[in-house]
């Protein structure tokens, strides 16, 4: 099946710094990728939809200037958490759709644990 | 607005028991429904995907059913094993690019 990777798997950063998370589709081209965040014992909440070659679409309540998304190629999307604060500590998961499959099944990355100290 | 609810929130069963996890959704206009497994601190593993035109899907000891008209899906796990212990998430694709997740059921299978 299709594989989506994320890097890094864990990151610890100091408050006020920025951190970048990469999401890659390894064996397919993903025109659309999605970024989710998950708080402990809660479900996944969609943050934004990342479209290759265009601006990301953010969900209501998500600060686009804080969570910068760049879908630079058909296999790579990045999420940059700018000026991170402890409340940004969370589990971030990306997913991608393989447009070559039916019925547009989503493939999820392994997630990135962000801890802001 | 589509909402997905999973019951129970947590479940503890002895090894070997058959069990059913429930998922309900408020808007029956869905494209597909997917069941995932999530181990602690890990990403999601897709278990079964049911298209809106299908009634059920099976994979090994897992069987997922879909009743779109009533807004319900069940995940049946036969002969549960300690290795099945995880959180099970139900997710509904509304036909656009949005997937709405339930809060999950935390399953613990006791040896």
């Amino acid at each position: 099946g299709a594989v989506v990777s994320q890097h890094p798997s864990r990151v610890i950063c100091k408050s006020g710094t920025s951190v970048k998370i990469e999401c890659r589709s390894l064996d397919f081209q993903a025109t659309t990728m999605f970024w989710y965040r998950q708080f402990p014992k809660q479900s996944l909440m969609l943050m934004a939809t990342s479209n290759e070659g265009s601006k990301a679409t953010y969900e209501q309540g998500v600060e686009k200037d804080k969570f910068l998304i760049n879908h630079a190629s058909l296999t790579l999307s990045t999420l940059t958490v700018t000026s991170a604060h402890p409340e940004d500590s969370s589990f971030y998961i990306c997913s991608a759709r393989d447009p070559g499959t039916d019925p547009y099944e989503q493939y999820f990355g392994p997630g990135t644990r962000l801890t802001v100290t | 607005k589509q909402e997905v609810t999973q019951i129970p929130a947590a479940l503890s069963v002895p090894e070997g028991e058959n069990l059913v996890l429930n998922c309900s959704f408020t808007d029956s206009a869905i494209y597909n429904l997917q069941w995932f497994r999530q181990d602690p601190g890990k990403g999601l593993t897709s278990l079964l995907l049911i298209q809106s035109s299908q009634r059920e899907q099976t994979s090994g000891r897992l069987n997922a059913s879909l009743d779109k008209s009533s807004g319900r899906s069940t995940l049946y796990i036969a002969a549960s094993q300690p290795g099945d212990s995880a959180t099970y998430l139900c997710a509904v694709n509304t036909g656009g690019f949005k997937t709405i997740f339930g809060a999950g059921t935390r399953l613990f299978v006791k040896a």
Side-chain angles (χ1 to χ4, degrees):
Chain A
V3 177
V4 175
S5 70
Q6 277 184 247
H7 177 79
S9 58
R10 290 178 176 269
V11 57
I12 300 173
C13 69
K14 291 182 183 262
S15 186
T17 63
S18 296
V19 62
K20 180 184 286 187
I21 303 170
E22 293 185 348
C23 176
R24 293 182 185 272
S25 58
L26 298 186
D27 50 2
F28 65 98
Q29 294 183 328
T31 53
T32 305
M33 291 183 172
F34 307 88
W35 287 96
Y36 296 82
R37 68 185 299 181
Q38 184 180 35
F39 291 106
K41 296 187 178 181
Q42 294 187 29
S43 191
L44 278 71
M45 298 298 294
L46 180 65
M47 300 174 64
T49 302
S50 169
N51 301 296
E52 188 269 337
S54 63
K55 291 183 179 180
T57 303
Y58 290 82
E59 294 300 300
Q60 190 172 11
V62 178
E63 300 175 61
K64 62 179 69 175
D65 293 331
K66 181 168 187 61
F67 298 100
L68 300 179
I69 292 173
N70 183 12
H71 198 146
S73 74
L74 287 172
T75 59
L76 173 64
S77 176
T78 60
L79 169 67
T80 301
V81 183
T82 62
S83 186
H85 291 286
E87 57 266 31
D88 298 324
S89 298
S90 187
F91 194 54
Y92 292 87
I93 303 178
C94 73
S95 73
R97 290 185 187 275
D98 180 356
T101 63
D102 178 35
Y104 284 69
E105 184 172 354
Q106 273 195 71
Y107 301 96
F108 284 81
T112 296
R113 173 78 57 194
L114 170 63
T115 303
V116 184
T117 61
Chain B
K1 178 185 174 185
Q2 179 73 268
E3 294 183 0
V4 180
T5 304
Q6 290 187 246
I7 294 174
L11 181 63
S12 180
V13 301
E15 182 177 7
E17 192 163 299
N18 302 325
L19 56 99
V20 174
L21 307 182
N22 297 290
C23 171
S24 61
F25 45 96
T26 54
D27 188 346
S28 63
I30 65 170
Y31 186 76
N32 62 41
L33 183 145
Q34 204 162 353
W35 284 93
F36 294 90
R37 168 184 173 139
Q38 185 177 31
D39 293 288
K42 304 293 184 181
L44 275 64
T45 300
S46 179
L47 298 174
L48 291 164
L49 182 146
I50 312 176
Q51 295 193 60
S52 62
S53 59
Q54 297 176 323
R55 299 285 288 184
E56 65 177 345
Q57 284 287 337
T58 298
S59 176
R61 294 183 292 110
L62 305 179
N63 175 276
S65 68
L66 174 64
D67 184 342
K68 202 172 68 164
S69 61
S70 67
R72 295 173 188 267
S73 176
T74 61
L75 178 66
Y76 175 82
I77 302 177
S80 59
Q81 302 170 358
D84 294 331
S85 298
T87 296
Y88 291 82
L89 295 167
C90 166
V92 168
N93 184 323
T94 58
F97 280 137
K98 288 196 174 185
T99 296
I100 310 298
F101 283 82
T105 294
R106 293 190 304 281
L107 173 65
F108 180 64
V109 181
K110 297 173 287 187

